[in-house]
Amino acid sequence: LLKIIGLLSAIAVCGTIGLLTGAVYLARNFLPFFKELTPLQTGMVALVLGVTMVAQSPAVVVALQSEMESDGPLTRTVLGVVVMSDLVVIVLFAIISSVTKTLFGSKADALHTAGLLAWEILGSIVIGVLVGMVITVYLRYVKGSAVLFILASAFVVAEVGQRIDLDPLLVALAAGMFLRNITPFGGRLQREIEFSSLPVYVVFFAVTGATIHIHELMIVALPAVIFVTTRAAGFIGLGWVATTIAKAPDLVRRNIGFGLMPQAGLALALALLFVKTFPHFGAEASALVLGGVAINEMVAPVLYRYALIRTGEAGKAERLEVADAHVPAN
């Protein structure tokens, strides 16, 4: 799937960033926080907002995949793309926001910024592999339930990672990839996590909903609807182009856009980071992003759920498990 995922990341994700940037720039007269900005500042802030609004949600995708017990080309492609695009969005946001800050008089050392970025990306991957090794040792020598140990590891990664400028998502991603591909414990890890996943998802969606303020959404409702529509059109149209070039199966070409729409965690995190990066107008811009997230939270998961049912991938994972269980041992 590497070719399909690469083309979707390059064409659908990056192309939609361009569409969102253009839409924000064209709508600048309707967004009060653009009034005092120069044309160059406006363009760069629009680009930062484009990167922020394109962010997707592996958590929502995984939650739906687990709930629907889905498996197949669409499910696997969507999961690969949303994970890869998270990495792309994090890197782009770090680079573009650093450049944009210089236009507002902030002194930025390019070498220092590059060093921080390298530590955040490469350091997170290295630490993630080390975390994977620790979990491997535990799973090898402890035969009982590992749920509490895995949850404790996740808590440590999240809390310590943020304090030493690592990306907890990348740390966990690297740990999981190490366990799945280098050790024989990937299946056990997945079963242990799925066993305790429901309360985690409940808390995640409750916290996400608690960040959405209806009064702020009403203020930016019209621009948010425009940008959400632009984002959806970009994912559907450019996703079709990318999968056509990659010669993906027809069911992937027709439905990939729905799988790329869900949005939550990363967009919320970047919206909060936007406020810290641009304190003079970040709150208003953040409200715009949160408005888009609110709309996508209500609509996108429903559309992706429908796509999984329409393609016949819903329930396929359970059917495969049942079939495997009835295969006689040699």
Side-chain angles (χ1 to χ4, degrees):
L1 293 177
L2 185 60
K3 180 180 179 182
I4 298 175
I5 292 172
L7 285 171
L8 281 166
S9 299
I11 296 175
V13 176
C14 293
T16 302
I17 290 174
L19 291 176
L20 285 168
T21 301
V24 173
Y25 190 84
L26 291 175
R28 64 190 183 279
N29 293 330
F30 300 98
L31 302 172
F33 56 88
F34 278 118
K35 288 183 179 180
E36 305 298 327
L37 304 184
T38 66
L40 181 57
Q41 290 174 335
T42 299
M44 290 304 295
V45 171
L47 181 56
V48 179
L49 279 172
V51 172
T52 303
M53 289 190 291
V54 86
Q56 295 153 301
S57 177
V60 174
V61 169
V62 171
L64 284 168
Q65 178 182 338
S66 177
E67 178 189 349
M68 303 298 292
E69 296 180 331
S70 65
D71 190 25
L74 178 64
T75 300
R76 298 178 185 182
T77 301
V78 167
L79 183 58
V81 174
V82 296
V83 171
M84 180 66 71
S85 68
D86 258 14
L87 176 60
V88 172
V89 168
I90 290 169
V91 173
L92 286 178
F93 184 89
I95 295 173
I96 296 171
S97 63
S98 296
V99 173
T100 304
K101 281 195 296 185
T102 63
L103 299 178
F104 291 88
S106 175
K107 294 182 179 180
D109 184 344
L111 187 61
H112 178 66
T113 301
L116 290 176
L117 186 60
W119 167 249
E120 181 178 354
I121 303 301
L122 300 179
S124 296
I125 294 173
V126 172
I127 297 299
V129 171
L130 294 176
V131 171
M133 291 179 178
V134 172
I135 296 176
T136 298
V137 172
Y138 184 91
L139 294 177
R140 182 182 299 276
Y141 294 104
V142 179
K143 302 304 181 183
S145 175
V147 172
L148 288 179
F149 181 79
I150 293 171
L151 290 177
S153 300
F155 179 79
V156 171
V157 165
E159 291 301 314
V160 176
Q162 289 181 335
R163 284 161 175 75
I164 59 176
D165 296 322
L166 293 176
D167 188 315
L169 293 178
L170 290 179
V171 174
L173 179 64
M177 290 180 66
F178 174 83
L179 279 153
R180 168 60 74 181
N181 296 282
I182 306 298
T183 78
F185 301 109
R188 182 181 170 190
L189 173 71
Q190 185 174 351
R191 289 192 297 273
E192 295 281 4
I193 291 176
E194 288 178 347
F195 180 76
S196 57
S197 63
L198 182 58
V200 175
Y201 288 133
V202 169
V203 172
F204 171 79
F205 283 103
V207 171
T208 300
T211 63
I212 298 171
H213 302 282
I214 300 298
H215 64 280
E216 292 182 353
L217 176 60
M218 295 306 296
I219 295 173
V220 296
L222 181 58
V225 169
I226 293 173
F227 299 145
V228 167
T229 304
T230 301
R231 181 177 180 271
F235 281 146
I236 293 173
L238 295 176
W240 185 88
V241 171
T243 49
T244 299
I245 295 174
K247 298 180 180 179
D250 185 59
L251 67 86
V252 175
R253 288 203 305 270
R254 289 187 286 107
N255 296 281
I256 188 66
F258 300 116
L260 302 182
M261 288 183 195
Q263 187 177 48
L266 181 59
L268 296 173
L270 292 181
L272 298 176
L273 187 58
F274 201 102
V275 177
K276 297 179 181 179
T277 306
F278 305 101
H280 297 298
F281 57 86
E284 297 177 67
S286 178
L288 178 65
V289 176
L290 292 175
V293 172
I295 297 171
N296 278 314
E297 276 289 340
M298 292 183 287
V299 177
V302 177
L303 293 176
Y304 183 42
R305 182 188 179 102
Y306 170 71
L308 291 174
I309 295 173
R310 185 172 67 173
T311 58
E313 294 192 4
K316 191 173 181 180
E318 182 182 21
R319 293 195 297 271
L320 289 173
E321 289 179 3
V322 172
D324 290 342
H326 287 82
V327 175
N330 293 327

